[in-house]
Amino acid sequence: QVQLVESGGGLVQPGGSLRLSCAASGSILSINTMGWYRQAPGKERELVATLTSGIWTNYADSVKGRFAISRDNAKNTVYLQMNSLKPEDTAVYYCNTKLVESVHYKLLEVWGPGTLVTVSS
């Protein structure tokens, strides 16, 4: 069993910053990818940023230059530093990981419950 716990969402004014955290716990052998997706009201879930093998990053065009993804391997935690936030960044942000679990050595994809980010004055 693997779980993701997210934190750091909230209300922020346009131009402000927030940092999201997501910690993975449970029967983890190795983590391939950790990342963030978001879903705004009435829209489909979309990729925000991913970090693969702790090295390769991928960002949505809409957040390039404003958001930064990083990972603490020792803590199995991924962070999303969000700067210069805009009202259109308002969404529920979901943590996602693709990993190998340590009981049956199966590949798993796990989602967090989501954390709400609201950008408004």
Side-chain angles (χ1 to χ4, degrees):
Q1 191 82 359
V2 176
Q3 292 182 331
L4 298 178
V5 177
E6 301 143 337
S7 61
L11 173 64
V12 64
Q13 292 186 343
S17 298
L18 280 177
R19 189 175 85 150
L20 305 182
S21 301
C22 172
S25 63
S27 303
I28 300 170
L29 180 64
S30 63
I31 295 176
N32 182 37
T33 302
M34 294 190 82
W36 295 91
Y37 293 71
R38 68 185 181 187
Q39 187 166 18
K43 294 187 177 181
E44 294 186 353
R45 190 173 299 188
E46 63 176 3
L47 178 147
V48 177
T50 58
L51 180 59
T52 300
S53 299
I55 299 174
W56 294 287
T57 58
N58 183 34
Y59 291 96
D61 288 342
S62 60
V63 306
K64 284 181 180 177
R66 300 188 298 123
F67 291 10
I69 190 169
S70 61
R71 178 178 157 185
D72 184 332
N73 292 330
K75 297 180 180 180
N76 286 336
T77 298
V78 66
Y79 305 96
L80 185 68
Q81 179 66 43
M82 305 186 293
N83 300 324
S84 302
L85 283 160
K86 304 175 181 180
E88 51 263 44
D89 294 317
T90 295
V92 177
Y93 284 69
Y94 296 92
C95 182
N96 172 276
T97 183
K98 299 175 179 65
L99 55 84
V100 178
E101 55 84 15
S102 61
V103 177
H104 303 291
Y105 305 102
K106 290 184 178 180
L107 293 171
L108 293 180
E109 181 175 22
V110 183
W111 290 90
T115 184
L116 177 63
V117 172
T118 303
V119 184
S120 175
S121 55

